[in-house]
Amino acid sequence: MPNPEATSMTSSPPPFAGGPPVCRPDPDAGHRWIFGFPGGLTAEVHTRGARLHGLWVPDRYGTPADVVLAPRDPARTATDARYFGATVGRYANRIAQGRFSLDGKPYRLTTQENGHCLHGGTDGFDTRLWEAESVHTPEWTGVLLHLRSPDGDQGFPGNLDVTVGMLIGRDDELAFTYAAVTDAPTLVNLTNHAYFNLEGEGAGDILGHELAVDATHYTPVDGDLIPQGDHRPVTGTAFDLRRPVRLAEALNRPGVTGGYDHNFVLNPHSGGTPRRAAVLHAPATGRRMEVLTTEPGLQVYTAGQFDGTVVGKSGTPYRAGAGIALETQHFPDSPNRPGDPSPVLRPGEEYRSRTVLRFRTRD
């Protein structure tokens, strides 16, 4: 059941009157950046992990609530909440056995989950203290975060320089921009790992939300969530989310044991303009989040493994289905799957990716 006290605790954004982003030091978070436009979205970003810690979004009545899950104790992001809201890399998702070959040379990465490399390894980008600078124009406000990943970092080759932007627009959009360059051939696949609950992060579960995903195929996986075989059509399966479906219904479909933690192959597009990947809607509040991206895939994770160990900002333990992650990215284990879009970045090239979260309300 929703926690009324928790909901009220998350309804008001931190004190912020608009203007350029505000920076506050914090021993656990690195620095906390607060930014937004009056009457619209307000975000809190932490430099440790380049992490989206909070996002206050108005409902159909104009009342804001924080829709991003995060632990009450920021120190927990070093343990069982390490991916909450974080920028993950060098390679988001899994690389089987932590092994790949590039230009005929084998590489071995640090591994954790069942002997596989997950989200960049044991000491991925989510653990790092990023440098940050503010951006403020009449139409956009936010932060640019910078990180140097040295050659051999977690086993990946090449020195990699990464810039991640988190910017709010006046039209209630939150844009994630990613750029990277390297001095040697390497792999790059970056995303943000925020969990969303459009009723408010302390308001219960997401079973009443409706989700649609613009994908005709998905990636089947084995028991370790490693891709297994070819991408398959969603038609006639539990993974057909092309029309909006209530998550309580979707999660009861045969074949969705434990919830979704799967890659969806997004409908093709041309050019560098983000196209729609998914729409998440909470009828209880009217909040609607449209996900647009330049990436080829979307990992949908409905947090079926949450067990209440992590206590949220509002004091509510996060249990199964407390939020949903919609991670725009390249496909899992694609370095070992030649038919998938390549995540290889070479010297002289620039990795670029853009994902936009567009917020609206519906009656």
Side-chain angles (χ1 to χ4, degrees), residues 158-218:
N159 294 297
L160 189 74
D161 290 299
V162 182
T163 297
V164 175
M166 299 186 196
L167 304 172
I168 286 177
R170 282 195 178 275
D171 53 356
D172 290 337
E173 292 184 345
L174 174 61
F176 295 89
T177 61
Y178 304 89
V181 294
T182 182
D183 61 3
T186 192
L187 307 179
V188 186
N189 179 30
L190 306 175
T191 194
N192 183 272
H193 204 294
Y195 295 98
F196 293 94
N197 184 327
L198 299 185
E199 295 179 12
E201 65 85 20
D205 58 44
I206 54 165
L207 295 181
H209 287 47
E210 297 171 351
L211 176 66
V213 178
D214 291 353
T216 59
H217 288 71
Y218 77 101

Side-chain angles (χ1 to χ4, degrees), residues 245-268:
V245 59
R246 191 168 177 261
L247 283 171
E249 174 190 335
L251 294 174
N252 275 327
R253 291 174 172 176
V256 193
T257 305
Y260 293 103
D261 195 357
H262 295 79
N263 173 65
F264 287 76
V265 180
L266 297 176
N267 296 337

Side-chain angles (χ1 to χ4, degrees), residues 1-8 10 66-69 195-209 247 282 284-285 302-303 306 310 312 314-324:
M1 293 290 292
N3 182 337
E5 180 182 2
T7 303
S8 65
T10 62
D66 186 358
V67 300
V68 169
L69 276 61
Y195 295 98
F196 293 94
N197 184 327
L198 299 185
E199 295 179 12
E201 65 85 20
D205 58 44
I206 54 165
L207 295 181
H209 287 47
L247 283 171
T285 63
T302 52
F306 284 12
V310 175
S314 57
T316 302
Y318 292 150
R319 305 192 184 279
I324 183 171

